[in-house]
Amino acid sequence: MIGGLFIYNHKGEVLISRVYRDDIGRNAVDAFRVNVIHARQQVRSPVTNIARTSFFHVKRSNIWLAAVTKQNVNAAMVFEFLYKMCDVMAAYFGKISEENIKNNFVLIYELLDEILDFGYPQNSETGALKTFITQQGIKSQHQTKEEQSQITSQVTGQIGWRREGIKYRRNELFLDVLESVNLLMSPQGQVLSAHVSGRVVMKSYLSGMPECKFGMNDKIVIEKQGKGTADETSKSGKQSIAIDDCTFHQCVRLSKFDSECSISFIPPDGEFELMRYRTTKDIILPFRVIPLVREVGRTKLEVKVVIKSNFKPSLLAQKIEVRIPTPLNTSGVQVICMKGKAKYKASENAIVWKIKRMAGMKESQISAEIELLPTNDKKKWARPPISMNFEVPFAPSGLKVRYLKVFEPKLNYSDHDVIKWVRYIGRSGIYETRC
Amino acid sequence: MPYLGSEDVVKELKKALCNPHIQADRLRYRNVIQRVIRYMTQGLDMSGVFMEMVKASATVDIVQKKLVYLYMCTYAPLKPDLALLAINTLCKDCSDPNPMVRGLALRSMCSLRMPGVQEYIQQPILNGLRDKASYVRRVAVLGCAKMHNLHGDSEVDGALVNELYSLLRDQDPIVVVNCLRSLEEILKQEGGVVINKPIAHHLLNRMSKLDQWGQAEVLNFLLRYQPRSEEELFDILNLLDSFLKSSSPGVVMGATKLFLILAKKFPHVQTDVLVRVKGPLLAACSSESRELCFVALCHVRQILHSLPGHFSSHYKKFFCSYSEPHYIKLQKVEVLCELVNDENVQQVLEELRGYCTDVSADFAQAAIFAIGGIARTYTDQCVQILTELLGLRQEHITTVVVQTFRDLVWLCPQCTEAVCQALPGCEENIQDSEGKQALIWLLGVHGERIPNAPYVLEDFVENVKSETFPAVKMELLTALLRLFLSRPAECQDMLGRLLYYCIEEEKDMAVRDRGLFYYRLLLVGIDEVKRILCSPKSDPTLGLLEDPAERPVNSWASDFNTLVPVYGKAHWATISKCQGAERCGPELPKTSSFAASGPLIPEENKERVQELPDSGALMLVPNRQLTADYFEKTWLSLKVAHQQVLPWRGEFHPDTLQMALQVVNIQTIAMSRAGSRPWKAYLSAQDDTGCLFLTELLLEPGNSEMQISVKQNEARTETLNSFISVLETVIGTIEEIKS
């Protein structure tokens, strides 16, 4: 149970404060500011205990959101709730920034009123909330009888995430496979750890109560379903991937997944996250970074970094950025790069090398001479890793969408009439190579 | 923001709220109200416009209504008489045709924290419980809990409770969960809501219909359900199996806890469950949501306490990445330290070695301590890494390495040789108190193996005047005296200088006393000094005591998925203890100094003591540990009431005695180390009337008897006699065990 919720800006000024329980005093809001936001050292833990009160905080850009309680609660649940709250707010007014919060101040109080009562989470589905709180305020007296009854059925309905009677002229759906690939590589090019965390996001504009069935090239699914047709197993066996674990949106029937390994569901209207998964095996690492650092005497460093793209030549990677850290006592840098633009940014202590586009199976190189100021500091430079950012148009885990079928028995449209779009985007998460 | 001069703001707002032109224009009116709320959020006292705000509540604009109700809930306790005026409007809204308005009004009315509101809200709540819109029912159900909270400790309304129990069958899932929450609060004094078989089964069947918050909550309530048979138990576990793979980490953890508790008699099921949640937990540990990742790591550590090998093959998952926040890195280092085994030790150490040179000194030091922890099992490799780190000649690294060495030689004497070889040269890179103390201790205890030990200590003696830390000076005195015993020729002169300085010039009393003490000790003779100072140099058994063998899962299952793993057990214990003290606040003295000076016994501690057959009418109660200072003061001010000698032969373990005394509620205030002569112990106890017994136990060298002196703060012979018989029994028992 949550006793209160506070939102602060980066200076510690209170933007929103809502207290739900008597045991949270008025000074709690100040205690957090003094002890955490204004504290000199870096944040020690996202859970802070001040005077026997627990403060759970998350940060979004430079906004602090804190939940307060005196009870022995489930920490994971409180953080999930804070994330959910951020999602709900983002769904209403976009980015969570000081300006947006100040402008939507009334709306936030309205939301806080609905999603928590007496400190207990209530309905927090954005879809459901949106029917009775709108950006401009509530549709109060203009509300027709019909709309009112819709709210009631929405709120009572058996399926909490979708209301009845949705109609579209054009039935359309969009599937986005969004992955972030994480890598930690040793200087010798040995993979220390790598994983992909991915999400399948679906945007559906479908009429009625459509039953959807989703298929992908997961090993277990294919093996289980392919038993009948041995032919198919051999064909797709090579391309199937091993998902370490995956979780689904509430709408997916888990019992059916466990028994038949099929993913079937009635989707919420609009955008939602269908599944979230993680893989660690056979990851396609889109880029290899090969660093070479040579210390020439005490006042000079020579750095050479080669990046190799490792995917089909027909595909193009975008927004490539390589960040090569430099020592603190750098006095000057000369950079030569074959492709893109490179710049030494003194304020960030790094050489930032940007390439707009790069095709697969290509190689590019940067070399830099770093001049150092002689210091009497005996401290050796710790050599932070070289990090990389990029975006590629495929899924580094190898996941493929095999089909998405739509059945709506009550209305007269079939699977063929639905326009479907599938898109794969692989982004870098924490992609680091030690040097 | 204008904290000062808020009167002007209030005045201006008041005027605006009363202005009929503004009242007529809906948007402008709402804007003024928004400003009031904004100032309220910033901490300004806005109670001055209460009257005007109450008037503003009579509107058809729901947004405005919400704002005004929020305002009223905040200030109602300050203006209870004016708040009553608002009740009328609220009551009217409770029968509005729009369910949203009904719910809002009911929720606000229940949140007005002021006396006397109960009589007005009772009827609307009862109506709300039977409302046809589930939105209103949800509000009404929680309203019951709010109403009960307002009443304070008044008796429970049986009819209402029955109504709530029947609403557990409501078709709206949130109403069901709210019912549980509400009943839990109302029936808190009777142990909370009762989960019997029909309710448990009903909840289990509804689980999949609930949202994640509801699922987590219900899983928590199901913890108190005891399945009747093994068959039922496994049926429940099968039903809940899918929740171990839920998309919400909170639900996964909740389900895990429920499984662990329900299957407490089936260790293999527990292990199986932990294997099944390995995937989800690891996923949480590498998720982008850093706070969740932190929580998951805390729980991974908890699991590792019982199943050390559980995550060993996944050790790479716990390697730190450069851009992760500090708190995650520190947790990961702890995890790495715990999952190390023969196969991965090489890689883990290699990784930890990399962290030791991290830019953040905190993190680097944590990594070094972690290597020190691993060194208890894999001594050679770790000592080698630590020695290499000394070569970097960095202050923050050297000091921690030396501290790690100190702790290590005490536990693993086999590495003494390697440590002694590594030490020379360290002194140049140590500036802080902790590091200096560690180095000086090592030089003192193992000085005979370090050729230049006297010269290093000599430097410290030279600079003792400018030394800022008294603790370092004390350590220096002890170390030099120890080294003097093994290498007298090199140390005699500087020991003289140091003692002279400490006795004649030192201003810190503790240091001066220590100097005087050693001086007088030296006067007694060198043999005496040797006997006192040359205690054993290592104690490997301490390591075994420190990390007890695998703890059973059941010992922490009930703490799983609470704040205990997040804060750590020790920290949580202090937090919850304070909370306990707070709860029985009025009975306790206000200041802590008073608590120590009077024989006060906290009420909750007055449990019956295990009575000994011959203790008679005496009843010893567990005392809050007396402070050593207070004990000393009392001891000096009292006369010996009783003295006695008991036969005593040979060695024994002081811990055993201490434990035995603890059983009969006699506290040990201070005790000499095992084997030292003379051996002394000071004990204190208190009976239920508040009479204090202070005791000194003394074992003289060469004597085969224990001398007991007892002092009492109230002269009462009968209690004194029974106390002494208790003490005799305990000591007699120890003597028996020994022989």
Side-chain angles (χ1 to χ4, degrees):
Chain A
M1 144 205 344
I2 293 168
L5 275 172
F6 306 130
I7 303 181
Y8 305 83
N9 66 7
H10 65 290
K11 284 185 268 178
E13 288 169 359
V14 188
L15 302 178
I16 299 283
S17 124
R18 182 80 163 87
V19 175
Y20 293 96
R21 308 280 305 199
D22 291 337
D23 57 355
I24 302 301
R26 302 239 154 254
N27 50 1
V29 70
D30 297 319
F32 181 75
R33 170 182 41 235
V34 173
N35 286 292
V36 181
I37 302 183
H38 290 171
R40 281 180 175 272
Q41 73 272 58
Q42 44 191 335
V43 178
R44 291 240 143 226
S45 155
V47 190
T48 319
N49 194 291
I50 307 165
R52 296 176 294 288
T53 310
S54 297
F55 291 79
F56 299 76
H57 77 262
V58 300
K59 266 192 95 175
R60 287 287 181 273
S61 64
N62 55 9
I63 298 293
W64 299 73
L65 300 109
V68 193
T69 182
K70 281 216 165 183
Q71 314 289 321
N72 188 3
V73 292
N74 311 344
M77 220 61 224
V78 176
F79 282 124
E80 263 180 72
F81 181 78
L82 285 173
Y83 298 149
K84 187 81 201 177
M85 199 175 92
C86 291
D87 289 349
V88 170
M89 289 200 288
Y92 272 97
F93 52 77
K95 194 171 174 274
I96 295 176
S97 65
E98 183 171 352
E99 203 195 340
N100 274 343
I101 288 180
K102 280 186 170 161
N103 289 341
N104 289 288
F105 154 89
V106 176
L107 171 75
I108 295 173
Y109 272 119
E110 271 188 76
L111 284 174
L112 290 183
D113 220 30
E114 292 297 338
I115 57 179
L116 270 182
D117 190 7
F118 210 35
Y120 296 113
Q122 306 289 309
N123 201 342
S124 58
E125 281 305 316
T126 321
L129 282 170
K130 270 202 171 168
T131 51
F132 48 93
I133 304 173
T134 60
Q135 177 89 27
Q136 294 81 30
I138 198 130
K139 323 169 192 158
S140 61
Q141 65 272 79
H142 310 300
Q143 225 168 24
T144 58
K145 265 272 157 59
E146 192 191 358
E147 270 175 309
Q148 267 184 33
S149 66
Q150 236 176 44
I151 285 176
T152 328
S153 75
Q154 159 80 58
V155 180
T156 44
Q158 286 295 322
I159 296 173
W161 56 86
R162 190 180 179 96
R163 65 187 167 89
E164 279 178 46
I166 298 173
K167 273 201 188 83
Y168 287 101
R169 190 173 292 166
R170 206 158 99 122
N171 288 304
E172 207 169 8
L173 66 85
F174 300 83
L175 267 182
D176 284 349
V177 178
L178 306 172
E179 296 197 335
S180 92
V181 51
N182 297 278
L183 169 75
L184 188 60
M185 196 175 247
S186 77
Q188 289 78 33
Q190 189 191 2
V191 175
L192 292 174
S193 77
H195 74 266
V196 169
S197 56
R199 306 184 299 144
V200 178
V201 175
M202 181 168 165
K203 240 187 265 179
S204 71
Y205 303 102
L206 301 170
S207 313
M209 283 287 182
E211 175 84 38
C212 299
K213 224 172 162 185
F214 174 68
M216 54 180 177
N217 60 338
D218 179 29
K219 219 177 232 164
I220 310 165
V221 176
I222 287 180
E223 273 166 21
K224 194 123 184 184
Q225 292 174 345
K227 260 177 198 158
T229 53
D231 176 50
E232 199 193 356
T233 333
S234 56
K235 225 183 352 182
S236 55
K238 248 182 220 165
Q239 287 166 355
S240 63
I241 60 162
I243 286 181
D244 283 25
D245 44 48
C246 57
T247 54
F248 296 101
H249 185 267
Q250 197 193 358
C251 65
V252 175
R253 295 194 190 89
L254 286 174
S255 52
K256 246 188 176 162
F257 180 70
D258 283 341
S259 58
E260 303 164 26
C261 276
S262 75
I263 303 168
S264 61
F265 54 95
I266 296 174
D269 195 35
E271 186 173 326
F272 73 104
E273 191 180 287
L274 176 63
M275 72 178 269
R276 197 180 273 223
Y277 57 92
R278 203 175 59 101
T279 69
T280 47
K281 285 192 197 80
D282 303 323
I283 294 170
I284 309 159
L285 295 171
F287 285 96
R288 237 336 268 284
V289 177
I290 304 155
L292 215 88
V293 181
R294 207 160 65 92
E295 289 177 36
V296 188
R298 296 205 51 189
T299 57
K300 206 168 144 191
L301 268 178
E302 278 180 14
V303 180
K304 203 173 98 175
V305 176
V306 181
I307 59 168
K308 283 184 182 170
S309 57
N310 175 34
F311 44 88
K312 269 193 226 151
S314 58
L315 299 175
L316 274 179
Q318 287 185 40
K319 297 177 195 166
I320 302 151
E321 185 184 289
V322 183
R323 188 171 280 265
I324 306 159
T326 57
L328 295 173
N329 56 335
T330 304
S331 65
V333 176
Q334 271 108 46
V335 214
I336 308 163
C337 57
M338 290 167 23
K339 226 179 157 203
K341 280 181 192 158
K343 229 191 217 166
Y344 166 61
K345 293 200 171 160
S347 59
E348 293 164 39
N349 283 315
I351 299 168
V352 180
W353 177 24
K354 286 183 180 169
I355 304 170
K356 274 198 188 134
R357 263 176 223 100
M358 188 165 170
M361 305 317 269
K362 287 263 165 44
E363 188 175 311
S364 191
Q365 166 179 334
I366 185 173
S367 48
E369 274 186 25
I370 303 171
E371 271 164 51
L372 305 174
L373 291 171
T375 54
N376 42 10
D377 188 7
K378 277 178 281 179
K379 245 187 191 180
K380 234 177 112 198
W381 178 45
R383 286 200 189 172
I386 295 174
S387 57
M388 227 190 137
N389 287 314
F390 54 79
E391 201 180 291
V392 288
F394 61 89
S397 68
L399 182 125
K400 291 257 161 52
V401 177
R402 287 168 64 220
Y403 56 81
L404 199 142
K405 292 178 193 149
V406 182
F407 310 95
E408 168 57 70
K410 285 193 195 132
L411 297 174
N412 55 347
Y413 70 92
S414 70
D415 186 40
H416 300 291
D417 305 329
V418 180
I419 306 159
K420 301 169 190 169
W421 307 84
V422 182
R423 180 166 67 158
Y424 299 89
I425 300 175
R427 291 203 183 92
S428 54
I430 295 171
Y431 204 84
E432 292 178 342
T433 307
R434 293 182 179 169
C435 59
Chain B
M1 265 304 124
Y3 279 97
L4 293 170
S6 66
E7 293 94 7
D8 294 341
V9 178
V10 173
K11 218 179 273 170
E12 188 212 319
L13 286 171
K14 201 173 208 166
K15 221 158 140 197
L17 284 170
C18 295
N19 188 337
H21 294 296
I22 292 182
Q23 283 181 357
D25 184 342
R26 225 184 53 179
L27 276 177
R28 273 176 76 194
Y29 200 26
R30 195 200 281 183
N31 267 333
V32 177
I33 292 166
Q34 273 185 36
R35 276 178 60 204
V36 174
I37 305 285
R38 199 162 294 199
Y39 286 129
M40 184 180 95
T41 307
Q42 282 156 356
L44 249 69
D45 183 12
M46 282 287 129
S47 58
V49 293
F50 200 95
M51 195 62 210
E52 288 71 25
M53 289 296 272
V54 170
K55 278 185 199 149
S57 70
T59 170
V60 285
D61 179 2
I62 291 203
V63 179
Q64 181 172 332
K65 243 188 211 314
K66 281 187 178 173
L67 289 173
V68 174
Y69 288 163
L70 176 69
Y71 173 90
M72 288 202 290
C73 293
T74 316
Y75 289 115
L78 295 177
K79 305 256 171 169
D81 41 339
L82 287 178
L84 282 179
L85 295 175
I87 296 242
N88 202 12
T89 328
L90 285 167
C91 283
K92 214 168 73 204
D93 282 351
C94 281
S95 42
D96 195 277
N98 185 345
M100 292 277 308
V101 177
R102 291 203 297 272
L104 175 67
L106 190 55
R107 185 164 58 215
S108 309
M109 205 145 72
C110 298
S111 308
L112 293 175
R113 292 164 202 152
M114 56 177 202
V117 77
Q118 300 95 298
E119 48 182 303
Y120 300 101
I121 57 177
Q122 203 151 16
Q123 198 50 46
I125 286 181
L126 288 177
N127 293 343
L129 289 177
R130 289 163 207 151
D131 201 289
K132 64 179 191 298
S134 59
Y135 185 78
V136 184
R137 289 202 300 276
R138 293 174 188 172
V139 173
V141 166
L142 280 182
C144 299
K146 292 181 191 168
M147 185 164 69
H148 183 79
N149 260 16
L150 277 175
H151 273 287
D153 293 332
S154 71
E155 71 268 31
V156 176
D157 180 354
L160 192 67
V161 169
N162 283 341
E163 181 119 23
L164 285 174
Y165 269 119
S166 67
L167 271 173
L168 283 174
R169 310 261 166 198
D170 197 280
Q171 54 159 329
D172 181 74
I174 297 183
V175 171
V176 175
V177 182
N178 279 356
C179 270
L180 286 172
R181 293 159 168 164
S182 193
L183 281 169
E184 178 71 9
E185 297 214 11
I186 294 171
L187 301 173
K188 201 189 258 162
Q189 312 238 302
E190 289 147 46
V193 53
V194 179
I195 306 285
N196 55 20
K197 191 169 173 177
I199 294 181
H201 286 217
H202 168 68
L203 291 174
L204 284 166
N205 288 331
R206 295 297 296 270
M207 272 298 274
S208 54
K209 296 268 166 36
L210 306 178
D211 60 2
Q212 50 177 331
W213 324 117
Q215 288 175 350
E217 202 105 17
V218 169
L219 286 170
N220 208 16
F221 280 115
L222 284 174
L223 286 174
R224 61 178 71 150
Y225 178 62
Q226 284 284 344
R228 301 275 165 74
S229 64
E230 220 167 278
E231 205 175 324
E232 190 190 355
L233 167 75
F234 284 102
D235 279 348
I236 293 178
L237 296 188
N238 282 333
L239 250 170
L240 291 175
D241 199 60
S242 62
F243 294 98
L244 286 177
K245 302 261 172 202
S246 163
S247 67
S248 148
V251 174
V252 174
M253 303 248 239
T256 312
K257 180 175 183 177
L258 182 62
F259 272 62
L260 293 179
I261 300 257
L262 283 182
K264 60 176 172 261
K265 291 193 193 119
F266 306 93
H268 62 281
V269 177
Q270 288 182 327
T271 322
D272 200 45
V273 168
L274 291 175
V275 170
R276 282 173 60 77
V277 295
K278 209 192 239 176
L281 263 182
L282 281 173
C285 284
S286 49
S287 81
E288 272 112 83
S289 331
R290 289 161 163 178
E291 293 79 15
L292 266 183
C293 171
F294 172 80
V295 174
L297 284 168
C298 292
H299 283 89
V300 165
R301 282 180 63 192
Q302 182 82 76
I303 294 174
L304 279 173
H305 283 315
S306 297
L307 306 165
H310 199 58
F311 291 98
S312 289
S313 51
H314 301 276
Y315 65 95
K316 279 187 178 169
K317 293 271 159 13
F318 302 101
F319 283 2
C320 299
S321 170
Y322 189 71
S323 45
E324 274 169 341
H326 201 59
Y327 50 82
I328 290 189
K329 287 188 186 172
L330 292 181
Q331 288 296 331
K332 282 191 172 173
V333 166
E334 294 282 329
V335 171
L336 281 176
C337 183
E338 282 174 50
L339 54 68
V340 82
N341 65 10
D342 290 344
E343 276 126 56
N344 59 25
V345 64
Q346 207 53 47
Q347 287 87 333
V348 169
L349 282 178
E350 205 57 43
E351 184 70 16
L352 283 174
R353 187 223 301 263
Y355 303 156
C356 293
T357 49
D358 195 90
V359 198
S360 154
D362 263 4
F363 179 49
Q365 296 185 338
I368 297 171
F369 279 127
I371 296 180
I374 297 175
R376 290 179 194 172
T377 349
Y378 302 97
T379 313
D380 294 340
Q381 289 145 294
C382 295
V383 170
Q384 198 196 339
I385 292 179
L386 291 171
T387 312
E388 281 165 21
L389 286 174
L390 286 178
L392 294 173
R393 308 191 150 271
Q394 303 232 338
E395 261 174 40
H396 71 275
I397 294 181
T398 312
T399 166
V400 181
V401 171
V402 172
Q403 288 171 49
T404 313
F405 277 157
R406 174 195 53 193
D407 301 341
L408 202 57
V409 291
W410 186 251
L411 295 176
C412 314
Q414 72 272 22
C415 68
T416 313
E417 199 57 53
V419 168
C420 288
Q421 278 167 13
L423 278 183
C426 287
E427 68 278 2
E428 291 165 28
N429 297 304
I430 297 184
Q431 294 300 328
D432 65 317
S433 162
E434 285 291 322
K436 279 183 185 172
Q437 287 177 48
L439 178 65
I440 293 173
W441 186 88
L442 279 167
L443 291 171
V445 175
H446 297 286
E448 76 272 12
R449 304 201 204 183
I450 307 168
N452 72 339
Y455 307 102
V456 178
L457 286 182
E458 186 159 26
D459 279 344
F460 280 108
V461 174
E462 299 278 284
N463 299 324
V464 72
K465 271 187 197 149
S466 51
E467 179 60 60
T468 44
F469 309 109
V472 175
K473 294 179 191 170
M474 304 251 256
E475 198 63 62
L476 186 59
L477 269 169
T478 315
L480 195 54
L481 199 59
R482 278 193 181 135
L483 194 60
F484 169 69
L485 296 176
S486 54
R487 302 166 75 164
E490 293 156 291
C491 296
Q492 186 168 15
D493 179 52
M494 59 172 149
L495 179 62
R497 270 184 286 150
L498 182 66
L499 282 174
Y500 179 83
Y501 167 80
C502 289
I503 295 167
E504 297 292 328
E505 293 176 37
E506 176 58 42
K507 297 215 174 55
D508 189 285
M509 277 307 140
V511 179
R512 191 162 165 270
D513 283 348
R514 179 75 66 94
L516 276 170
F517 170 69
Y518 284 142
Y519 178 69
R520 288 178 194 137
L521 194 60
L522 283 164
L523 288 183
V524 178
I526 204 75
D527 294 336
E528 198 70 4
V529 180
K530 267 188 191 154
R531 211 178 40 227
I532 289 172
L533 277 181
C534 294
S535 44
K537 290 181 180 181
S538 65
D539 186 3
T541 55
L542 202 63
L544 295 178
L545 278 179
E546 255 180 27
D547 43 26
E550 295 167 27
R551 260 164 275 168
V553 173
N554 285 333
S555 70
W556 50 260
S558 56
D559 289 338
F560 197 80
N561 197 26
T562 65
L563 284 175
V564 181
V566 175
Y567 283 130
K569 206 158 191 162
H571 187 187
W572 178 256
T574 54
I575 295 170
S576 45
K577 204 161 78 186
C578 293
Q579 248 158 4
E582 209 175 51
R583 228 174 289 128
C584 55
E587 293 132 64
L588 283 177
K590 287 283 179 289
T591 56
S592 55
S593 62
F594 182 39
S597 66
L600 279 155
I601 307 128
E603 287 296 319
E604 75 264 32
N605 281 354
K606 268 192 173 172
E607 56 204 36
R608 291 238 145 199
V609 181
Q610 174 195 351
E611 270 185 63
L612 285 165
D614 54 352
S615 64
L618 177 80
M619 167 91 72
L620 292 177
V621 293
N623 191 348
R624 295 244 217 91
Q625 190 91 41
L626 280 175
T627 62
D629 294 341
Y630 176 65
F631 180 90
E632 198 180 349
K633 226 166 52 196
T634 324
W635 177 261
L636 292 176
S637 68
L638 294 174
K639 269 188 278 178
V640 176
H642 179 91
Q643 214 154 17
Q644 188 179 352
V645 175
L646 285 178
W648 189 265
R649 264 164 285 106
E651 290 298 324
F652 71 104
H653 216 281
D655 286 352
T656 336
L657 180 61
Q658 189 170 352
M659 295 249 280
L661 289 169
Q662 195 73 49
V663 171
V664 292
N665 287 322
I666 300 176
Q667 254 87 27
T668 314
I669 302 291
M671 197 179 259
S672 322
R673 265 174 187 275
S676 52
R677 283 289 180 275
W679 181 89
K680 273 188 182 182
Y682 288 99
L683 317 170
S684 98
Q686 191 174 42
D687 73 5
D688 50 352
T689 61
C691 179
L692 270 177
F693 299 96
L694 308 181
T695 314
E696 183 198 56
L697 306 179
L698 176 65
L699 279 174
E700 290 278 3
N703 257 351
S704 61
E705 53 195 20
M706 181 179 278
Q707 202 175 327
I708 304 172
S709 326
V710 182
K711 297 184 179 185
Q712 199 182 12
N713 69 348
E714 286 165 43
R716 271 187 297 174
T717 26
E718 73 278 9
T719 54
L720 181 65
N721 287 336
S722 19
F723 173 75
I724 286 162
S725 69
V726 170
L727 200 59
E728 271 175 7
T729 323
V730 174
I731 292 172
T733 325
I734 297 279
E735 180 82 13
E736 266 169 42
I737 293 170
K738 211 174 68 192
S739 55

